[in-house]
Structures are given as structure tokens and as C-alpha cells.
Amino acid sequence: MVDNKKRLLLQKRLSIQSKSNKFSSVYVQRINLSKENYTKDKPTIVDMQQICRLKEIRFSKSPELGNLHDLSHTRQHGKRKSYKISRKCCCLVISTILAGVLLAAAAATVIGVLTTQPKQQTTTTTGTTVTTTTATTTTTSSSTSSTSSTSSTSSTSTTTKTTSTSTTSTSTSTSTTTSTSTATTSTTSVTTSTTSTTTVTTTTTTTAFDSCTGLRWNKTGVIVAGGNSNGNGANQLKKPRCLFIDENNTLYICDTDNNRIQQWVEGAVSGVTVAGRSNGNSGSSSTALDEPVDLNFDKNGLTYVADMKNHRIQSFSLTSTVGTTVAGTTGSNSNANTDLKEPTSVDIDNNLNIYIADSGNKRVMKWILNATSGTAFINNQARIEKVRDLILVPGVSNEVYMSNEDEKEIYQWTSGASNPSRTLSQVNGNSGNNNLDKPNGMVLDSYGNLYVADLDKDRVVMYCPNSTIGIVVMEGSVGAASLDEPTAVAFDSNFNLYVVSSNNHRVIKFARL
């Protein structure tokens, strides 16, 4: 605490002066006390409580003071008046003055900060986050309607934060924060296009073709080979027996009584000898034949000929007239498995196995490729006699069709069986012509119909699949193109019908209707 002597010093320094009719000013001075007047633990400045402990403070009369209820008069009559103020009031007034000073200083500082560029360095931190999402949807179109829709969405978000470093003067602190937010709205327009397609459906009703009633040929035929009486000339034939037509519509004919195989190109007026002797002489050499009665081709294009009187099967390439014996023994006609006796027909499967109608021995022999002997495929002494033709049943490895001239029947026979599974002999013909009479050469068409040359009836009979009664598709004919003892039938690539008419030495073509 300050002693009495120092209090008196404070009273003198804190006197308030005023002038008449003018505003009074209050002066507050700091009290500077030397360190030596205090002990170490005493403050270096005088606080408000010390000031308020003064017993009295004298003020000049001033309008700002007004009528203070707690002041007491000392003098009253026109002279200078003096007032006393209590400690409590003193503290209140001084506190008010100091607060005003502080507020003024703070206001000045704020104004200075706002109007003056701050000298301190400003640190700015900016953060940006960009997020983009794209979605695309496609709807697959169909054959009747097509709809395509594409949707794209893009979203971007940006955040910026700026902070200014605070500036402090004395005991005043000011902090300024500026926040900027930017929002961008993207509007995507989706356009949907719809295409309407009108589909016209045409329904076609197809009726299954009935080959039994639908296949018919012109009754007037055309001579395409021979026809110039019998002889051994290039344009002549003599008792032809067999016929094969390749994919080029070239004819291969067994010119039996001339002991040769003739090749007749479509449209030609004469033939070319491809096996046997062209002058018609018979023989047993590799370049000669003796009454060839049947021929066939394998998948490699080799020609196989049933050389009946030589009791063998000869093989020829298309570029050679020299034959190779592939079954039987030349000049030998025994019933041994190495021999054949008057073979009348030959066929070959895709494995190049050879099937032979061994008519003189009343059996069917199977000869494996490059074998020196055969095995009995069908062996029935009673019913296999004078077999004129043999063909494999398509799609079946162990069945054949056989035409039996003496029995006047056609058999469908399975290997190893004692009797045929199917016998064909009836014909839907005129009165007295209701059966086959000496059936000879046969052929199958792509529909599975079986055609046979009915020699003594001068006609061609067709047996439809699963039918046992034949249909006459060609007979008699007119003029020079008439049938006389037909021995073979075949088709070209256009389904035209060809018939070997043996007794008048020609091949006749009947166009399909």
C-alpha cells in the first residue's frame, strides 16, 4: 500500500482543472513510480483501486458532470463551487473513461486494418476436388423396333478456402476469414429417337413332293447313242447291256457283243472305246474283254467291268485301256473262293469293297480291297440263279437289291440271311401285264425309288419306297425310239431318263416333264 505522503502527492497530480462556461477536460496521468519506492513484490503501476482510495477529488463545474446525486455542496453563493465524490463514484467514473479510451483505440485499430494494406504475409491454402462420373446405357435394337438411349452425367465439385493471417496491435486481435463457394450446374439433354419398322411376313406353304406321282417323262424319246443298226463302228452298238452316266452327263455303255466299253460324250454322234478292243474282237489279255455285261465306278474314278466270259472283274483307270484283274481268275470258273463263274454285275462301297453277282455259282461274293480271294456275302443255291444286276442299298452296309431274270423277281436281301427281306414282282399294269418278266438292269434315284428294265415287257417299272407294287413309267414309245428288250436304265443330272434298248442296239433319252 502507498503511504500517506505518497497519497498527498497523487492528490495534487490528479486535480481537475476547468474553465467557466467551457467543457471540462479530465486529465489522467500515469503514475510513474521509481522502483526504489516499492518492494520487489509490489506492482510497477498504480491500479484503479489505489486511485479510488483517495478521500476526495475536486472537479470544476462542468456540463458533462450534470447533477450527481452523490455530490455534496461545499460552497453555494456565486462563487466557485467544489464537490466531493465518494470512492465508489470515483472508481465508476474512471472506469467509464478508461473504457471509452479503449473502445476508441479499438475502433481506430479496426479502421486502420480495413483501410491499410496489411504488412504481414498472407498465407492462402486452396484445395480443389474434382469428381466426374459418366454413365452410358445402350439398349440393343430388335428386328422390328429399334430404340437407342445414351445418358451422360458429369459432376464437378470445387472448394476454395482462403485464410488471412491475423494482425495484433497491443492487446487487440483481429481475424478475417473469407470463404468462396462456387456451384456449377450442368444440364444434360437426353434425346430419345424411336424408329417404327413395319415387317411384312410372307408365309409360303410348301407341299412335300410326291415322287411316285410327280415324276413323269415325255413318251417320245430321242436316240443319243447307236441306232445305226448293229455293227462295230464307232457310231454303232451291238446288243448293249449296261449303262452308267457320270456328273458330266457322259455315257459309259457295255457294248456286249462288240466286247468293249464305249464312252459317249453328251451330244456326240459316235463313241470312243475306253476298255476292250475297238474293233469288237474278244480276248482274255489285259487289254481285251469277252462279253462285258456290267460296269461301275468307285469314289476314286476307277472303272470296274464284269468280264463275264473271262470269269473276272477288271479295273481300268480313265486314262488307260490296260485292265487289272481285281477278282476271279482268268480262264478259271470253279466255285472256289478264289474264282468266279460268269459274273453278271459288280458294285463298290466307300471302303472299296467289291460286291459281285457270281451268277454261275448262284451266290454273291464280297472281295476286300487287294484280296486274292472272296467270301460269300449271300449264298443260296435255290433262289439265286441268273442274277442280272446287283446294287447296294444306300445307307446300309449289308443289304443289296438283286434282279433275278429266271425267277422274274427283285430281292432285297441282307447278308447272311437265308431268304430275302423283301420281294418285288407285281406291277400296276394292263391286264396280263401285272408282273415282271425277266427283270434286268436297275437304278435308284435320289428319292429312293427303284427303277428296273423289264426286258420281255419292253417297259420301265418304278417301285416307290415301302411299296411292293410297281408303276409303269415308260413303255413302247413311238417310231425309231421305241423300246425293244430294255436291259438297263440311268438318269443324268437333270433327271432325264435313259434306257438301253438292246435288241435295236441303241440308247434312248426321255426328257423329264
Side-chain angles (χ1 to χ4, degrees):
M1 299 293 292
V2 184
D3 56 13
N4 290 335
K5 189 179 288 187
K6 290 179 179 179
R7 287 179 182 174
L8 291 175
L9 181 59
L10 289 172
Q11 280 182 343
K12 290 179 182 182
R13 289 183 179 181
L14 296 174
S15 62
I16 304 173
Q17 301 296 328
S18 65
K19 294 182 181 181
S20 61
N21 300 327
K22 291 182 179 180
F23 295 105
S24 298
S25 300
V26 178
Y27 298 91
V28 178
Q29 296 179 353
R30 290 188 179 183
I31 301 173
N32 297 317
L33 300 176
S34 60
K35 292 182 180 179
E36 62 270 13
N37 294 328
Y38 299 94
T39 61
K40 280 184 178 182
D41 56 346
K42 290 182 180 181
T44 59
I45 61 172
V46 179
D47 57 14
M48 292 301 299
Q49 291 180 350
Q50 293 173 337
I51 296 174
C52 290
R53 287 191 181 96
L54 297 178
K55 289 184 179 180
E56 65 179 75
I57 299 176
R58 295 180 182 274
F59 292 91
S60 297
K61 187 177 181 180
S62 175
E64 285 94 336
L65 299 176
N67 295 322
L68 301 174
H69 65 280
D70 55 352
L71 299 179
S72 62
H73 288 90
T74 57
R75 296 181 182 178
Q76 296 182 355
H77 299 288
K79 295 182 180 180
R80 184 176 180 177
K81 294 181 181 181
S82 298
Y83 299 92
K84 289 183 178 180
I85 186 167
S86 66
R87 288 181 180 181
K88 183 176 182 180
C89 291
C90 176
C91 292
L92 179 63
V93 170
I94 292 174
S95 298
T96 303
I97 293 171
L98 290 175
V101 172
L102 292 174
L103 289 173
T109 301
V110 172
I111 293 171
V113 170
L114 294 176
T115 58
T116 305
Q117 181 70 28
K119 296 181 180 180
Q120 288 76 6
Q121 184 178 357
T122 301
T123 302
T124 302
T125 302
T126 303
T128 303
T129 302
V130 179
T131 303
T132 304
T133 303
T134 304
T136 304
T137 304
T138 305
T139 302
T140 305
S141 62
S142 65
S143 60
T144 55
S145 65
S146 175
T147 303
S148 177
S149 175
T150 303
S151 174
S152 178
T153 304
S154 177
S155 173
T156 304
S157 173
T158 304
T159 304
T160 303
K161 183 178 180 181
T162 304
T163 306
S164 298
T165 306
S166 62
T167 303
T168 305
S169 176
T170 313
S171 60
T172 302
S173 177
T174 303
S175 177
T176 304
T177 300
T178 303
S179 177
T180 304
S181 176
T182 303
T184 303
T185 302
S186 178
T187 303
T188 301
S189 176
V190 179
T191 302
T192 302
S193 177
T194 302
T195 303
S196 178
T197 303
T198 301
T199 302
V200 178
T201 302
T202 302
T203 302
T204 303
T205 302
T206 303
T207 303
F209 176 70
D210 185 357
S211 61
C212 284
T213 59
L215 289 175
R216 293 294 181 265
W217 293 266
N218 194 325
K219 298 295 184 181
T220 302
V222 177
I223 299 171
V224 293
N228 299 304
S229 70
N230 68 77
N232 60 5
N235 64 343
Q236 293 178 310
L237 297 172
K238 186 177 183 181
K239 293 285 183 176
R241 291 283 302 270
C242 76
L243 176 65
F244 183 95
I245 302 176
D246 68 12
E247 63 275 9
N248 297 317
N249 297 334
T250 298
L251 280 62
Y252 294 85
I253 307 165
C254 294
D255 190 7
T256 303
D257 280 6
N258 278 325
N259 305 299
R260 63 187 182 183
I261 303 298
Q262 294 293 93
Q263 180 191 69
W264 218 290
V265 178
E266 185 177 23
V269 296
S270 62
V272 176
T273 302
V274 293
R277 294 169 178 166
S278 60
N279 60 9
N281 294 332
S282 64
S284 59
S285 69
S286 60
T287 58
L289 298 172
D290 192 354
E291 293 191 22
V293 291
D294 194 24
L295 68 84
N296 219 320
F297 286 80
D298 68 13
K299 63 181 181 181
N300 297 320
L302 294 178
T303 307
Y304 295 78
V305 178
D307 190 8
M308 186 176 69
K309 293 298 183 179
N310 281 323
H311 315 291
R312 63 187 182 183
I313 303 297
Q314 292 292 91
S315 175
F316 297 87
S317 70
L318 288 176
T319 58
S320 175
T321 59
V322 178
T324 300
T325 303
V326 293
T329 303
T330 303
S332 177
N333 59 1
S334 73
N335 62 359
N337 287 341
T338 57
D339 294 341
L340 300 171
K341 185 178 181 179
E342 297 187 353
T344 55
S345 184
V346 60
D347 204 352
I348 307 96
D349 65 16
N350 288 330
N351 295 319
L352 303 182
N353 298 310
I354 305 170
Y355 300 82
I356 307 163
D358 189 11
S359 298
N361 286 319
K362 301 178 182 179
R363 63 186 179 182
V364 175
M365 296 295 289
K366 178 179 179 180
W367 224 280
I368 297 173
L369 178 66
N370 298 324
T372 57
S373 64
T375 58
F377 187 76
I378 299 172
N379 191 1
N380 189 312
Q381 298 291 327
R383 302 188 68 173
I384 302 177
E385 187 176 0
K386 289 228 177 162
V387 171
R388 288 303 181 187
D389 200 8
L390 175 149
I391 57 177
L392 297 171
V393 176
V396 183
S397 62
N398 61 344
E399 282 190 351
V400 294
Y401 288 109
M402 295 183 291
S403 61
N404 189 324
E405 185 179 81
D406 282 356
E407 296 291 333
K408 303 179 181 180
E409 294 175 331
I410 294 174
Y411 305 133
Q412 183 175 346
W413 208 309
T414 302
S415 176
S418 58
N419 291 293
S421 59
R422 184 182 178 202
T423 300
L424 304 174
S425 62
Q426 293 184 324
V427 178
N428 186 15
N430 297 325
S431 178
N433 296 312
N434 297 327
N435 294 97
L436 294 175
D437 194 355
K438 293 187 178 181
N440 269 242
M442 300 179 294
V443 68
L444 283 164
D445 69 13
S446 57
Y447 298 101
N449 300 309
L450 179 66
Y451 300 79
V452 59
D454 193 9
L455 186 141
D456 273 3
K457 299 294 184 183
D458 299 324
R459 63 187 179 183
V460 176
V461 178
M462 176 177 71
Y463 286 91
C464 299
N466 303 317
S467 174
T468 58
I469 300 176
I471 301 170
V472 178
V473 294
M474 188 62 58
E475 63 181 338
S477 192
V478 178
S482 61
L483 295 179
D484 189 359
E485 296 186 2
T487 56
V489 290
F491 293 98
D492 67 13
S493 59
N494 297 314
F495 231 86
N496 298 309
L497 176 65
Y498 294 72
V499 182
V500 174
S501 184
S502 179
N503 205 38
N504 54 14
H505 321 289
R506 64 192 63 177
V507 177
I508 304 171
K509 173 184 174 181
F510 299 93
R512 181 184 175 184
L513 295 176

